[in-house]
Amino acid sequence: MLDLAVLGLLKEGDLHGYELNKRLKSLVGGYANSYGALYPALARLERRGWVSSTAVAPELVTDEQTSEGHPRRNRKRSTRSKSGRTRKVYQITEAGEDHLLELLQEDANNERRFRLQLAFCRFLPPDRRLALFELRRAHLVSLQAMARRDPVHSNDPYVRSLFERDQERREHDLAWLDRLIADEQSKRQSGANPDPIDP
Amino acid sequence: MLDLAVLGLLKEGDLHGYELNKRLKSLVGGYANSYGALYPALARLERRGWVSSTAVAPELVTDEQTSEGHPRRNRKRSTRSKSGRTRKVYQITEAGEDHLLELLQEDANNERRFRLQLAFCRFLPPDRRLALFELRRAHLVSLQAMARRDPVHSNDPYVRSLFERDQERREHDLAWLDRLIADEQSKRQSGANPDPIDP
DNA sequence: GGTTACATGTAACTAGTTACATGATTAG
DNA sequence: CTAATCATGTAACTAGTTACATGTAACC
């Protein structure tokens, strides 16, 4: 799961672990400050050849990589470092990109995984993307059916309220997915030139 | 987490592992057929003195425990067994009930935990229950605030759609929780006799 | 006579969290 | 000078899944 998130973020651009973690936090509300998961994951991805890393000495940090614009008066030297340690900047490999495409298509039964798949589904070809959405839809529909044929037995008001919320959430989610699917299909019909020659 | 679910279900009545698993499935849409988590959990709960178990021989299975009403013609003997193996029926201990009360109050930051806490919150005294709801509410509000002060950076339509859904879900959840809280408070005001003497 | 349901368990694996260790740089 | 932020990592723990092993009994 983390693999998917990391490869997806690295496909957008090279990053080091600390920065990756910040992006993960804003991408998935959750994925705490768990460097305890991230760093081992990066090491694993590198062992498998899906990413490669470059050590970047703090002196070599360039202006582009350093936060905002206003250059604040150089103190002592023009090259100042924002970090005290050598950073390891990771980049995705070709094998990594292939693997990412696989991860983007598998399952979709898992709520958290689907979240990540959606966040990076722009890297999929349109037909694969649509297939992913349909797969997720089928899963939601089967959950819906399960809930309907086996309604709440409990008379407890709290349990009932919980199950009602679940029901509403499923319906809301299905409607949302249907909108996504409809948008995909309308895209195929209108600007359906995968190799645009005449703009 | 499983501990909470198991203790809660056992507080409603004695059960064996297989039956517990079925209840878990209908209670939490999820918690797969994971006997691989349940049986070790039961063993652990027993070691800690929160539950105790009784071996029940298949011959001793009584009619009350055997599914539905229609008695189907006894074949060969009046005591027929539905199961081929000795079942281990678990019951919650006094220490287990105390522990359950603790589990019902801790955290509430965790979505899945809160689900279970709500499913069994009827075992809490009303003030504790209200406190639990308020705690969950505070957590949702802080998530809401985080999302607002740090909006989506991405221009990707899929990412945007995802974050919009998140937002709607949070709002829906908050409204739902507020209804639960309001109901609790109105209960306190109307039938607020914890030791009813005059019915 | 094969599939499904009943029933208990173990082993290996997946996935993430919490706490710790370490140290530099920067903003107030 | 002190708190926050930057930066990388390890160890122990929590929590659940998947696959396997084993066997009975009921259903069609």
Side-chain angles (χ1 to χ4, degrees), chain A residues 2-198:
Chain A
L2 241 188
D3 291 14
L4 170 52
V6 168
L7 290 175
L9 286 172
L10 288 181
K11 175 133 184 177
E12 297 174 336
D14 303 352
L15 291 169
H16 58 275
Y18 191 81
E19 183 62 29
L20 265 166
N21 192 54
K22 282 201 294 185
R23 309 265 176 121
L24 283 175
K25 266 198 279 192
S26 62
L27 180 64
V28 199
Y31 274 125
N33 13 316
S34 77
Y35 296 108
L38 179 58
Y39 285 113
L42 284 169
R44 184 162 27 81
L45 290 173
E46 191 165 22
R47 276 200 304 279
R48 299 201 182 157
W50 291 327
V51 305
S52 59
S53 66
T54 318
V56 175
E59 293 82 11
L60 299 177
V61 173
T62 63
D63 274 318
E64 317 165 51
Q65 281 149 2
T66 332
S67 50
E68 290 308 285
H70 62 100
R72 84 271 237 188
R73 314 158 189 84
N74 298 339
R75 56 183 74 206
K76 290 193 173 177
R77 207 151 280 113
S78 115
T79 50
R80 72 276 171 279
S81 57
K82 221 193 157 182
S83 73
R85 300 183 53 151
T86 322
R87 302 185 303 180
K88 274 176 85 171
V89 173
Y90 290 89
Q91 59 249 34
I92 191 168
T93 64
E94 266 186 59
E97 299 206 2
D98 293 346
H99 186 55
L100 174 57
L101 287 181
E102 281 166 32
L103 291 178
L104 282 173
Q105 293 171 77
E106 70 177 21
D107 276 319
N109 299 353
N110 185 317
E111 170 117 29
R112 273 175 87 161
R113 166 146 49 226
F114 181 70
R115 227 196 117 76
L116 290 172
Q117 287 172 324
L118 192 58
F120 299 113
C121 71
R122 63 175 172 285
F123 298 129
L124 283 175
D127 58 319
R128 293 286 154 189
R129 186 161 53 227
L130 186 55
L132 176 68
F133 295 174
E134 303 273 22
L135 227 117
R136 178 69 187 169
R137 187 179 196 287
H139 180 245
L140 285 187
V141 165
S142 92
L143 282 185
Q144 193 75 292
M146 245 197 302
R148 262 201 269 268
R149 75 150 186 273
D150 186 54
V152 224
H153 298 305
S154 176
N155 292 315
D156 182 70
Y158 305 106
V159 172
R160 289 198 158 274
S161 177
L162 187 59
F163 277 71
E164 272 165 40
R165 189 209 53 167
D166 288 350
Q167 178 67 22
E168 284 162 20
R169 195 182 262 196
R170 274 191 301 266
E171 275 161 16
H172 187 274
D173 251 42
L174 252 177
W176 166 71
L177 240 186
D178 282 338
R179 278 198 304 276
L180 280 177
I181 289 173
D183 286 357
E184 283 303 302
Q185 280 165 342
S186 72
K187 262 188 243 169
R188 308 194 97 182
Q189 284 170 345
S190 59
N193 22 356
D195 204 10
I197 300 168
D198 196 23

Side-chain angles (χ1 to χ4, degrees), chain B residues 43-103:
Chain B
R44 184 164 26 83
L45 289 173
E46 191 165 21
R47 277 201 304 279
R48 299 201 182 159
W50 292 326
V51 305
S52 59
S53 67
T54 319
V56 175
E59 293 83 9
L60 299 177
V61 172
T62 63
D63 274 317
E64 318 164 52
Q65 282 149 3
T66 333
S67 51
E68 288 309 284
H70 63 99
R72 84 270 236 186
R73 314 158 190 83
N74 298 340
R75 54 184 77 205
K76 289 192 173 176
R77 207 152 279 113
S78 115
T79 51
R80 71 278 169 278
S81 57
K82 220 192 158 181
S83 73
R85 299 183 54 150
T86 321
R87 303 184 302 180
K88 273 175 87 171
V89 174
Y90 290 89
Q91 59 249 33
I92 192 168
T93 63
E94 264 187 61
E97 301 206 1
D98 292 346
H99 186 56
L100 175 58
L101 288 180
E102 279 166 32
L103 291 178

